[in-house]
Amino acid sequence: PDQLSALTITAWVRIPLDGGDWSILDFDRSDYFSAVAGVPLNVTEGPGDYIGFYTMGSDLTQDDMWSNSIIRDDEWHHVAWVFNSGLENDKKIFIDGQLDSFKDAHPTSINLGTGNTRYGFIGDGSEATSFNGDRNGYYFAGFIDEVCFWERALTINEIQQKMYGSLNLSVEIDLVGYWTFDDGIGNI
């Protein structure tokens, strides 16, 4: 992506008691963002109990934030990571349709991204400057379902509505990625 003024990532995640450790969707934390699950509080990698949202601003300031709630409980949770450069509290994490944490991470009107070419990965950290390029080798240990990526900030009502409903792709606005994982069980 180029610089992003807004985004929303949503996913269903289940983190076993011995799982977690990194990325649900990653476009290189040091260039764009990482939406992670099952990480320690105030530490960017390793197995833990929290949701993380790591971002790089267009002004080259990096910001990491974590959820308040523990979700490494071997239960399914719906998670949304939201960024909106037009708001003072520009970063938010929603868990199971409720606002869990928010932060004034980057100055208002600062977008995400350095402008460098990066390719994203699900379940692994991206260092990729080309299609199917380098990964950082921090693999998510758990279960992931229905990952969505919008280039806009969804409202809490939209998050709640989409949490249990199937998406109508013909009317979705700014949806740039939708992975249903309906093809069975496997490793990514």
Side-chain angles (χ1 to χ4, degrees):
D2 291 325
Q3 293 178 352
L4 299 165
S5 62
L7 70 81
T8 302
I9 308 298
T10 62
W12 284 95
V13 299
R14 189 176 110 204
I15 306 170
L17 299 178
D18 62 349
D21 191 17
W22 202 248
S23 178
I24 302 302
L25 183 63
D26 189 317
F27 273 83
D28 191 346
R29 169 181 177 251
S30 58
D31 274 299
Y32 288 92
F33 67 88
S34 299
V36 302
V39 293
L41 186 63
N42 298 320
V43 179
T44 58
E45 58 194 61
D49 298 328
Y50 298 90
I51 297 296
F53 191 12
Y54 313 147
T55 55
M56 174 62 76
S58 57
D59 62 351
L60 304 182
T61 58
Q62 191 165 315
D63 181 80
D64 302 330
M65 74 175 284
W66 291 266
S67 64
N68 292 314
S69 300
I70 292 173
I71 69 156
R72 185 167 60 164
D73 59 6
D74 206 23
E75 300 289 330
W76 282 101
H77 295 279
H78 185 266
V79 181
W81 298 261
V82 179
F83 173 78
N84 184 342
S85 68
L87 298 178
E88 181 176 342
N89 291 311
D90 52 356
K91 288 172 62 173
K92 297 176 182 172
I93 295 173
F94 294 84
I95 299 175
D96 297 327
Q98 300 301 312
L99 179 62
D100 177 85
S101 56
F102 60 89
K103 186 175 184 183
D104 180 8
H106 301 283
T108 304
S109 79
I110 295 296
N111 294 331
L112 293 185
T114 61
N116 294 331
T117 299
R118 286 291 184 248
Y119 291 79
F121 292 107
I122 294 173
D124 190 6
S126 172
E127 303 287 334
T129 59
S130 62
F131 179 76
N132 206 23
D134 293 337
R135 295 158 172 83
N136 69 12
Y138 295 110
Y139 302 103
F140 177 72
F143 303 90
I144 304 171
D145 196 22
E146 197 168 287
V147 177
C148 302
F149 177 12
W150 284 269
E151 285 189 352
R152 69 182 182 93
L154 296 182
T155 66
I156 188 171
N157 290 338
E158 289 176 305
I159 290 167
Q160 291 171 342
Q161 180 184 34
K162 294 172 190 313
M163 188 167 72
Y164 290 114
S166 57
L167 298 182
N168 181 344
L169 300 180
S170 65
V171 298
E172 286 298 324
I173 300 169
D174 295 324
L175 180 68
V176 295
Y178 180 48
W179 301 271
T180 61
F181 300 95
D182 288 340
D183 293 332
I185 296 174
N187 294 319
I188 54 172

